[in-house]
């Protein structure tokens, strides 16, 4: 049983990692192409809409996806769980689509402080229902420790996005590639991923869906047990992540604003924001194709091991995953310190991107280890701990933004990133050590 679990986790991690790496490689080429088409300022405007997208995704999908994954892993059944989660997620996504579309002028003026984001926000609102379908399908398959379907949908989304962007920019006469078109291809990619994910689910689970009496049984389960199960888990998870995403969004909108307070013009502040988020951060987050794949699969694996009281497997998974994340972070730090400037100039033809990479390199060990720690703690049922640490970390970062960035500019922002991420990693590490010690004491008594 132990070997089977180990091989399933390892196999799933490899599949998701390969898909993640391919997706990120394709995304890099697309990012280079996009930065050439848009320029740093328009790229900054394009990046400014994603805090809104993140908040909405948290409401309509994030908590529900995790609930489906965790409950499916624990109960070893999930078709009715999936349909209940999908119903709720679709309802919320459609509601949010309408709200964002109608309030786009207000959000652009009062929240993003940039009128040019109105049309991109309205286009973005059409993506939400497709995102709901993909999230629920992925949650189901993660719970089943089957990472093939999420991997394929991930690749499909990226490929469709790139193909659509290239076709629109190359073969449609008289069209100028803009922020609006860049967002439109996001919608096309998400729609293709959703259709593929849903078809894959229906084909894979057709024996359960169309078995004699399955419809009556499915309706009964949805009305009773599944509503309580998913709601009790998804609501606190969704609420926690909503608060975190709101803080993330507040932080993202503060960066250009506080940079202007430091003496930069609005155009320069948005350009620096675009270079940071559209050029430098993609390099730093590239290795998270490895840690991200591991983290996604760790939650159901740790939950299952905890439920079965398999202490040996639990400790081994925690030790190996954290060791891997730490080694990866250290290697990436050295790599970016040595080649950061060269990469920024070579890939984006932007010296400032290379300078940012040198500074952001120190984030890597904390960033990669923290994502793994969060997934382990969530699998152990410490959702409130990860929530509290994330909130405190973001409050620390926002405080630095408000107090120091207007006075010291970008160096203060980089310092806030390192300080807040180091705090989160150390705090979660202390909680995990304490939890493991207490768990071992209980088992030995």
């Amino acid at each position: 049983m132990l070997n089977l679990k180990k091989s399933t986790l390892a196999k799933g991690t490899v599949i998701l990692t390969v898909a993640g790496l391919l997706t990120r490689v394709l995304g890099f080429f697309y990012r280079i192409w996009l930065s050439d088409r848009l320029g740093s300022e328009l790229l900054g405007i394009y990046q400014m809409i994603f805090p809104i997208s993140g908040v909405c995704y948290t409401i309509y999908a994030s908590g529900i996806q995790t609930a489906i994954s965790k409950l499916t892993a624990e109960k070893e059944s999930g078709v009715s769980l999936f349909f209940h989660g999908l119903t709720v997620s679709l309802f919320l996504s459609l509601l949010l689509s309408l709200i964002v579309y109608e309030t786009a002028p207000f959000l652009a003026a009062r929240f993003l402080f940039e009128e040019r984001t109105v049309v991109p926000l309205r286009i973005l609102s059409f993506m939400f229902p497709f995102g709901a379908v993909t999230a629920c399908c992925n949650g189901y398959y993660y719970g089943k420790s089957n990472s093939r379907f999420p991997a394929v949908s991930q690749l499909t989304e990226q490929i469709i996005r790139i193909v659509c962007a290239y076709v629109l920019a190359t073969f449609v006469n008289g069209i100028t590639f803009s922020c609006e078109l860049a967002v439109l291809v996001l919608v096309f990619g998400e729609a293709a991923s959703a259709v593929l994910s849903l078809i894959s689910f229906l084909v894979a689970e057709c024996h359960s869906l169309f078995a004699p009496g399955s419809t009556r049984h499915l309706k009964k389960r949805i009305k009773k047990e599944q509503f309580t199960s998913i709601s009790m888990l998804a609501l606190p998870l969704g609420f926690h992540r909503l608060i975190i995403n709101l803080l993330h969004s507040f932080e993202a909108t503060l960066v250009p604003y506080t940079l202007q307070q430091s003496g930069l013009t609005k155009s320069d502040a948005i350009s620096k924001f675009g270079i940071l988020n559209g050029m430098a951060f993609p390099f730093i987050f590239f290795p998270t194709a490895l840690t991200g794949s591991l983290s996604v699969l760790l939650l159901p694996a740790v939950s299952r091991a905890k439920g079965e009281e398999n202490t040996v497997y639990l400790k081994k998974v925690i030790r190996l995953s954290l060791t891997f994340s730490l080694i990866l972070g250290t290697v990436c730090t050295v790599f970016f310190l040595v080649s950061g400037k060269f990469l920024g100039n070579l890939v984006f033809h932007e010296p400032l991107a290379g300078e940012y990479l040198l500074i952001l390199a120190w984030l890597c060990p904390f960033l990669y280890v923290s994502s793994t720690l969060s997934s382990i703690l969530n699998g152990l049922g410490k959702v409130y701990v990860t929530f509290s640490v994330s909130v405190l970390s973001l409050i620390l970062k926002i405080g630095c933004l408000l107090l120091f960035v207007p006075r010291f500019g970008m160096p203060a922002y980089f310092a806030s990133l390192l300080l807040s991420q180091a705090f989160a990693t150390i705090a979660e590490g202390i909680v995990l050590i304490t939890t493991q010690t207490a768990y071992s004491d209980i088992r030995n008594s």
Side-chain angles (χ1 to χ4, degrees):
M1 186 63 148
L2 176 60
N3 291 332
L4 177 62
K5 289 176 181 176
K6 287 170 65 178
S7 63
T8 300
L9 181 63
K11 182 180 177 181
T13 302
V14 169
I15 292 173
L16 275 181
T17 297
V18 171
L21 287 172
L22 288 174
T23 301
R24 287 170 189 265
V25 168
L26 291 173
F28 258 120
F29 286 108
Y30 177 65
R31 183 78 64 174
I32 296 167
W33 181 86
L34 191 63
S35 63
D36 288 338
R37 292 277 177 166
L38 296 181
S40 59
E41 184 176 358
L42 289 181
L43 185 62
I45 293 172
Y46 171 72
Q47 293 290 330
M48 289 175 73
I49 67 170
F50 289 106
I52 302 291
S53 176
V55 169
C56 291
Y57 181 84
T58 301
I59 296 173
Y60 71 74
S62 185
I64 295 173
Q65 176 182 346
T66 304
I68 292 174
S69 175
K70 193 172 190 299
L71 293 173
T72 299
E74 290 175 352
K75 299 184 178 182
E76 298 184 357
S77 64
V79 174
S80 53
L81 280 166
F82 166 80
F83 279 108
H84 174 72
L86 180 61
T87 301
V88 177
S89 187
L90 278 175
F91 171 77
L92 292 173
S93 65
L94 289 169
L95 180 62
L96 287 168
S97 293
L98 179 62
I99 292 172
V100 170
Y101 187 90
E102 292 296 330
T103 62
F106 172 80
L107 293 172
R110 302 294 183 182
F111 186 70
L112 301 180
F113 308 109
E114 178 53 64
E115 301 288 347
R116 288 174 287 180
T117 58
V118 173
V119 177
L121 279 174
R122 283 183 163 163
I123 297 172
L124 182 73
S125 67
F126 290 95
M127 188 174 74
F128 300 162
F130 300 116
V133 174
T134 303
C136 291
C137 289
N138 288 348
Y140 175 78
Y141 282 114
Y142 289 143
K144 288 288 188 180
S145 297
N146 184 344
S147 57
R148 292 190 302 273
F149 291 105
V152 171
S153 71
Q154 187 180 36
L155 269 176
T156 300
E157 179 183 349
Q158 187 69 279
I159 292 171
I160 294 296
R161 181 186 305 175
I162 294 171
V163 170
C164 288
Y166 182 76
V167 169
L168 285 172
T170 306
F171 297 106
V172 180
N173 293 328
I175 195 170
T176 301
F177 202 81
S178 60
C179 289
E180 290 77 11
L181 285 180
V183 179
L184 183 61
V185 300
L186 290 178
V187 178
F188 290 156
E190 192 67 65
S193 177
V195 171
L196 179 63
S197 297
L198 190 56
I199 291 174
S200 300
F201 173 84
L202 293 174
V203 171
E205 302 298 335
C206 62
H207 63 283
S208 299
L209 295 172
F210 301 108
S214 62
T215 304
R216 183 175 66 255
H217 179 67
L218 181 61
K219 289 180 179 179
K220 182 179 178 181
R221 293 290 299 277
I222 287 178
K223 286 181 180 178
K224 295 183 179 180
E225 178 185 343
Q226 308 305 337
F227 177 82
T228 303
S229 298
I230 285 196
S231 298
M232 290 297 290
L233 185 57
L235 283 175
L237 278 173
F239 178 72
H240 291 171
R241 290 177 181 175
L242 176 60
I243 293 176
I244 291 171
N245 267 281
L246 285 171
L247 290 171
H248 268 301
S249 301
F250 183 50
E251 175 215 337
T253 57
L254 276 178
V255 175
Y257 175 77
T258 52
L259 286 176
Q260 291 178 59
Q261 301 300 307
S262 70
L264 295 178
T265 64
K266 184 176 183 180
S267 177
D268 286 342
I270 293 176
S271 293
K272 286 182 181 291
F273 182 75
I275 293 169
L276 179 67
N277 287 276
M279 300 180 189
F281 270 134
F283 273 109
I284 298 298
F285 285 112
F286 187 90
T288 58
L290 298 170
T291 58
S293 302
L294 180 62
S295 296
V296 165
L297 294 167
L298 268 175
L299 189 146
V302 171
S303 296
R304 190 180 291 113
K306 182 189 175 187
E308 295 174 358
E309 297 185 352
N310 193 337
T311 310
V312 175
Y313 174 69
L314 187 62
K315 288 183 176 180
K316 187 167 292 187
V317 165
I318 291 173
R319 184 174 63 253
L320 290 176
S321 59
L322 288 175
T323 301
F324 170 76
S325 299
L326 182 59
I327 292 174
L328 179 66
T330 304
V331 170
C332 288
T333 295
V334 175
F335 174 75
F336 288 128
L337 286 173
V338 172
S339 60
K341 280 192 174 183
F342 172 76
L343 289 173
N345 288 317
L346 175 69
V347 177
F348 293 109
H349 312 293
E350 175 57 64
L352 199 56
E355 293 179 16
Y356 288 173
L357 273 175
L358 290 179
I359 301 170
L360 293 173
W362 299 102
L363 272 177
C364 293
F366 300 107
L367 190 64
Y368 306 156
V369 171
S370 180
S371 66
T372 303
L373 282 169
S374 296
S375 188
I376 292 171
L377 289 173
N378 284 334
L380 291 172
K382 301 293 183 179
V383 177
Y384 290 98
V385 172
T386 56
F387 166 71
S388 300
V389 170
S390 297
V391 168
L392 290 174
S393 173
L394 283 165
I395 290 174
L396 178 62
K397 193 188 303 182
I398 290 170
C400 291
L401 270 172
L402 292 171
L403 293 174
F404 302 114
V405 174
R407 184 176 177 183
F408 300 106
M410 284 299 294
Y413 178 59
F414 287 127
S416 73
L417 288 174
L418 182 60
L419 180 63
S420 61
Q421 194 61 59
F423 166 78
T425 306
I426 294 170
E428 288 177 336
I430 292 172
V431 172
L432 179 61
I433 292 171
T434 304
T435 302
Q436 283 292 95
T437 302
Y439 187 67
S440 297
D441 291 343
I442 292 173
R443 290 285 296 160
N444 294 330
S445 62

